[in-house]
Amino acid sequence: MAAAGDGPWLDDAAGRLVRPFTVSNGRTRPTIALDLLSHVMATGATPLGYLGLEHAQALDLCRLPVSVAEVAAHLKLPAVVTKVLLSDLVDCGALTTKPPEFHHNPTDRALLEAVLDGLRRQL
């Protein structure tokens, strides 16, 4: 039985009925460089041509700026597949992208030690 709102793509017992890479037509490389922390946002332009259900869902999620990782989590798709879908939407002018901004040194020793400490507390 399909979960509410998921249509034929998910089945409670079997899980996803369509392989994730089928969504991207087997493509594993996006046409643009996207980081998991990159932000994407809808431009308001209507994409030309046919886009799949997942493209429409991704575009709907991007009404406000959102990270690539968040889109992947909401779509329940691997990050690489999500990057392909989002790059399709950027290519057709439906999305804009902004690289992640770091307001600190991402290799700052104190930050890395704090992350490691937090992870140890979770285990």
Side-chain angles (χ1 to χ4, degrees):
M1 169 181 260
D6 288 327
W9 301 110
L10 296 174
D11 180 277
D12 290 338
R16 183 175 275 280
L17 298 177
V18 175
R19 293 278 184 199
F21 290 97
T22 304
V23 172
S24 63
N25 293 324
R27 295 175 293 147
T28 59
R29 296 198 179 180
T31 57
I32 60 169
L34 288 171
D35 187 277
L36 286 176
L37 299 177
S38 296
H39 281 92
V40 288
M41 183 173 172
T43 62
T46 304
L48 298 175
Y50 173 76
L51 295 176
L53 174 65
E54 287 81 3
H55 286 95
Q57 291 172 335
L59 190 56
D60 188 51
L61 290 169
C62 297
R63 286 176 278 141
L64 297 173
V66 63
S67 72
V68 171
E70 289 177 85
V71 174
H74 284 289
L75 294 178
K76 297 178 181 158
L77 289 171
V80 68
V81 173
T82 302
K83 288 179 181 183
V84 171
L85 295 176
L86 294 174
S87 71
D88 290 346
L89 292 167
V90 170
D91 290 345
C92 72
L95 287 182
T96 60
T97 180
K98 181 179 173 189
E101 293 180 14
F102 292 104
H103 299 291
H104 55 78
N105 181 358
T107 58
D108 177 32
R109 184 178 178 94
L111 173 65
L112 294 175
E113 287 176 356
V115 169
L116 182 59
D117 184 50
L119 290 171
R120 283 183 178 146
R121 278 189 261 139
Q122 294 295 321
L123 299 175

